Amino acid sequence: MATDSLRALLPDLAPWRASRDFRRLWFSGLISNFGSFLTFVALPVQLKELTGSAAAVGAIGAVELVPLVVFGLYGGALADALDKRTLIVWTEVGQGLLSAVLLVNALLPKPAVWPLYLVAGLSAVLFSVQRPALDSLWPRIVAHEHLPAAGALNSLRWTVGGVAGPAVAGIVVAYAGLGWAYAADAFTFAVSVALTVAIASSPASHEAAKPSWQAITEGARYAWGRKELLGTYAVDLAAMFLAMPLAVLPFLADELDAEWSLGLMYASVPAGSMLVSLTSGWTSRVHRHGRAVVVSAALWGVAIAGAGLVGNVWLVLLCLTLAGGCDMVSGIFRGAMWNQTIPDELRGRLAGIELLSYSVGPTVGQVRSGGFAAWLGVRTSVWSGGALCAGAVGLLALCLPALMRYDVRTDQHAARERERRTLGATPAP
């Protein structure tokens, strides 16, 4: 009985066993995510060293915002109209070249500040084009009933890199230098490209519209008509905008007189996410995904508020870990709602809108947290953002009852997609 209970908590590996392309993409993402998290830590640390300003670090978000908005929407249209594998491969190549630019700048006798912002902006462009293609590819290579399990496994892939990358980055930056972190990131992109080119091509659906403003607005109209989807976007946007503290973590570590803890702080959120991913077997037995999204997003805000209120670095790390676990629960069920209900011919454009919710929020959140830190102090920036997040999520739940009512067993859109997949669409090998 105990063994069965433990097995029920473990991740469901059915998508991994059934799809070779899923395995290849999973390992590709694991490797490139690890390298990206090295840069994720190194870039704000280098900006802090060069400027000494929390606002300057937070401004990374401002630089990334416009590319995310513009190219996220257009990237979704491209994902519906072009071969998804091709988009993924070439954007990975571009990201590797940007890491090489950071490496060259770091090796200069006097590194410049402007290349850091330039690379951040261009990286946002490439990410915005790639992510809709990637998100719209999973439902093609994984069986419909395995999509929640695939979402949990993809989250695990991200969190493994998110834990290992920042932890290693803290050591590499402190003892080997920024250049080594950037060089390792460039190398991981090269490995990722080699894995991705081996997957099967994924051409556009014959129903897909060509990339245009009309195609983008068609996707937006569909999303607007699905209030439960709107709820997932709004909740995630509020949570990330109000309670994303990553830009001020270097200053929080200094304020707690624990500079050694910076890598652990960056790793704590993904560590909490990884713990949930490793015990995600229970998620397949939850059917009211909307309620799970709301509750977990509110608890994310509460945990972030705790990280700002406590004065002990170990309690801060605990709160950040709890926050990461809550964020992962929200992410798993948001992804399940998206992947199990959106038609294939709209998947890329809706993935572009999803990108805005889970990327623009953290990006603008960096600006908010950096600005609040410069104005009110670092810890106040953190706890106030968490409190505002919990309140905003509760208000959104009241305003969007369709989100709270959503049940995958009875939702008409989920039933339609189940029928479509059963009748004719089979996952790629």
Side-chain angles (χ1 to χ4, degrees), residues 207-227:
E207 300 97 347
K210 295 189 180 300
S212 65
W213 179 249
Q214 181 180 357
I216 293 171
T217 55
E218 180 186 359
R221 283 195 300 270
Y222 177 85
W224 182 258
R226 296 277 308 278
K227 301 307 181 188

Side-chain angles (χ1 to χ4, degrees), residues 30-40 99 161 165 181 184-186 188-189:
L30 175 68
I31 293 167
S32 64
N33 283 343
F34 172 79
S36 295
F37 273 106
L38 292 176
T39 296
F40 180 74
S99 297
D185 189 16
T188 61
F189 278 117

Side-chain angles (χ1 to χ4, degrees), residues 3 6 17 81 112 134 145 160 174 184 204 211 241 245 261 273 296 304 328 331 336 338 379 387 397 404 406 410:
T3 302
L6 178 60
R17 299 189 193 100
L134 190 60
E145 64 273 16
V160 168
F241 168 63
S261 69
S273 298
S296 54
I304 293 297
M328 179 52 60
W338 298 338
R379 291 177 61 185
M404 299 297 287
Y406 177 86
T410 57

Side-chain angles (χ1 to χ4, degrees), residues 409-427:
R409 296 169 296 185
T410 57
D411 180 76
Q412 61 175 321
H413 303 284
R416 187 179 299 120
E417 281 302 293
R418 278 195 298 270
E419 182 181 3
R420 184 188 66 80
R421 296 289 293 269
T422 301
L423 290 177
T426 56

